[in-house]
C-alpha cells in the first residue's frame, strides 16, 4: 500500500519518539489504528449502501443491458464493424 524505505520508517519513528514521547506513543498508535479501522468500516458500509441502492434502482440490469449491446456492436472478435465506427476527426488523420 505505502512504499516506505527503512530509512523513511526509521525517521518517522525517531520524530514520533522525540515529539510525542515514548510513554504516549503506544496510546497514540492505538488511537490512530482504531480511527483507521473505523474509517475502513465506514467505507465498507457506504459501499454496501450504494450497491443496495443500485440493485434497487435497476442500475445493475441497465448496465448489463448496455454491456450486451456493446458486445453485439463489437462482435465476437471484439473489433468494431465499419458501420458502427466513429469517423476520425480531421486533426487526428495521419499526415
Amino acid at each position: 500500500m505505502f512504499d516506505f524505505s527503512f530509512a523513511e520508517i526509521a525517521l518517522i519513528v525517531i520524530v514520533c519518539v522525540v515529539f510525542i514521547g515514548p510513554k504516549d506513543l503506544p496510546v497514540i498508535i492505538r488511537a490512530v489504528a482504531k480511527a483507521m479501522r473505523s474509517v475502513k468500516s465506514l467505507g465498507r458500509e457506504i459501499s454496501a449502501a450504494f450497491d443496495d441502492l443500485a440493485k434497487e434502482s435497476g442500475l445493475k440490469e441497465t448496465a448489463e443491458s448496455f454491456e450486451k449491446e456493446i458486445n453485439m456492436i463489437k462482435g465476437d472478435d471484439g473489433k468494431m464493424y465499419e458501420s458502427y465506427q466513429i469517423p476520425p476527426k480531421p486533426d487526428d488523420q495521419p499526415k
Side-chain angles (χ1 to χ4, degrees), residues 3-4 6 22 30 43 49 55 70 72 75 86-87 90 92:
D3 190 23
F4 290 122
F6 179 73
R30 280 189 215 106
K55 192 180 288 185
I70 289 171
M72 282 179 39
I86 299 171
D92 288 345

Side-chain angles (χ1 to χ4, degrees), residues 25-47:
L25 194 59
V27 175
I28 299 295
I29 291 172
R30 280 189 215 106
V32 168
K34 185 177 179 182
M36 289 178 68
R37 280 193 300 268
S38 65
V39 167
K40 203 179 273 191
S41 173
L42 180 65
R44 282 192 296 262
E45 289 178 22
I46 290 173
S47 177

Side-chain angles (χ1 to χ4, degrees), residues 11-67:
L11 181 67
I12 291 170
V13 169
I14 290 170
V15 168
C16 288
V17 169
V18 169
F19 286 107
I20 296 173
K23 290 182 181 179
D24 295 331
L25 194 59
V27 175
I28 299 295
I29 291 172
R30 280 189 215 106
V32 168
K34 185 177 179 182
M36 289 178 68
R37 280 193 300 268
S38 65
V39 167
K40 203 179 273 191
S41 173
L42 180 65
R44 282 192 296 262
E45 289 178 22
I46 290 173
S47 177
F50 277 115
D51 288 343
D52 291 341
L53 184 64
K55 192 180 288 185
E56 289 176 6
S57 68
L59 190 61
K60 188 172 186 175
E61 290 83 18
T62 304
E64 289 173 356
S65 69
F66 280 141
E67 187 68 32

Side-chain angles (χ1 to χ4, degrees), residues 63-79:
E64 289 173 356
S65 69
F66 280 141
E67 187 68 32
K68 287 179 186 176
E69 288 294 324
I70 289 171
N71 288 338
M72 282 179 39
I73 293 170
K74 282 185 179 178
D76 293 336
D77 56 359
K79 295 182 180 178

